[in-house]
Amino acid sequence: WCVAKPNADATSLAAALGFACGEGGADCLAIQPGGACYYPNDVTSHASYAFNSYYQRHGRNYWNCDFRNNAVVAISDPSYGGCNYP
C-alpha cells in the first residue's frame, strides 16, 4: 500500500491528490461525498486513498509512491470500517 506521510504539508498533499485523481488516473470515487472512504473528510485521508489507487494501477513500484516526497509505502493494510484499500 501507498499512503500519505502523516507529517506532510496539507498544500503539497492537496496538489498531489489533484494529480493522482486527475492525470494520474487514480480511482477516486470512494473519496467523493457519499463514498465509502469519504470520512474522515481530510486531505491526508483522501490523499492516502488516491495515492494507493495510483500505486496499485501503476505497478506497485516504490517510485510510484513518492508524490514529491509526500507518500510512503506501508506494510500494513490501511483499510478501515467500510473503506477498503485495493
Side-chain angles (χ1 to χ4, degrees):
W1 298 276
C2 176
V3 296
K5 287 184 176 177
N7 61 342
D9 173 71
T11 302
S12 298
L13 280 179
L17 172 61
F19 164 78
C21 291
E23 64 190 79
D27 178 2
C28 295
L29 290 176
I31 56 174
Q32 299 304 311
C37 302
Y38 182 69
Y39 292 105
N41 180 16
D42 62 64
V43 70
T44 302
S45 296
H46 289 185
S48 289
Y49 189 87
F51 292 175
N52 186 66
S53 176
Y54 178 93
Y55 176 71
Q56 299 295 330
R57 288 179 172 216
H58 290 87
R60 294 187 306 230
N61 301 298
Y62 71 88
W63 57 83
N64 298 123
C65 182
D66 183 64
F67 298 93
R68 296 192 176 185
N69 202 31
N70 286 298
V72 62
V73 173
I75 58 171
S76 57
D77 186 350
S79 299
Y80 57 92
C83 177
N84 295 309
Y85 280 56

